[in-house]
Amino acid sequence: MKNLIKILIVFAMGLFLNSCYYDSFPEYSEEIDPPEVPDVVSYETDIMPLWEGQCVACHNGNVAPDLRPENSYNALLNGFVDAGKSEESSLYLSLIHAPGVSPMPTPDNKWPASKTELVKAWIDQGAKNN
Ligand code: HEC
């Protein structure tokens, strides 16, 4: 009889622990919830503000590309952005931590797709100074 109670208790605990499994939330996935990218990406409104703070902390004129607002466009088009070709632009490749380029902003910090997809779209739309 005692054994039966033990078995029942273990069985009940198993049910209880299992029920927790169903409480977990589905993980955020960019495929389910793709980042929104405007049809026309503006350098001034959408892209330039991305460099504020984190990137400019290092890219302040001492390290190329110079990402301070007044210089960033020209600096980026000078070797870091191949207009129309995001996959050949070290700016985009560094943000998605692609092999062969330095990972930005740091090796253990990768921007979410909501930001990197904006940069990609801007480059693929011709990297305009708009
Ligand atoms: C902690 C300092 C630091 C921060 C923060 C930083 N960078 Fe850099 N970045 C560097 C240094 C130093 C180099 C040049 C040496 C190298 O390639 O590692 C560089 C190189 C680059 C390059 C050229 C990469 C290549 O391999 O050709 C790009 C593009 C770049 N950074 C963009 C950015 C952007 C955009 C951000 C913000 C998301 C950023 N960086 C944040 C220090 C930094």
Side-chain angles (χ1 to χ4, degrees):
M1 188 59 191
K2 263 191 175 169
N3 274 343
L4 182 64
I5 289 172
K6 272 189 199 158
I7 289 168
L8 281 176
I9 288 172
V10 169
F11 182 70
M13 278 171 69
L15 277 182
F16 175 72
L17 291 176
N18 242 346
S19 68
C20 297
Y21 174 80
Y22 298 101
D23 292 341
S24 64
F25 291 98
E27 272 188 39
Y28 172 77
S29 158
E30 271 149 4
E31 277 167 33
I32 297 172
D33 189 9
E36 280 187 27
V37 172
D39 291 341
V40 177
V41 182
S42 154
Y43 184 72
E44 202 179 327
T45 17
D46 301 315
I47 304 298
M48 204 160 72
L50 297 176
W51 316 141
E52 275 170 19
Q54 208 176 28
C55 307
V56 173
C58 293
H59 293 273
N60 56 4
N62 301 319
V63 180
D66 182 349
L67 293 176
R68 290 174 296 181
E70 64 277 21
N71 300 332
S72 62
Y73 182 80
N74 287 334
L76 285 172
L77 270 285
N78 189 18
F80 300 96
V81 167
D82 195 343
K85 297 179 190 158
S86 55
E87 304 289 340
E88 290 171 32
S89 300
S90 65
L91 172 66
Y92 174 64
L93 297 174
S94 70
L95 288 174
I96 61 165
H97 293 192
V101 289
S102 304
M104 295 292 142
T106 62
D108 49 13
N109 178 357
K110 187 155 80 171
W111 274 4
S114 54
K115 288 183 176 182
T116 60
E117 286 297 299
L118 258 185
V119 173
K120 182 183 188 346
W122 169 68
I123 297 174
D124 289 335
Q125 289 172 14
K128 297 195 194 89
N129 193 3
N130 54 353

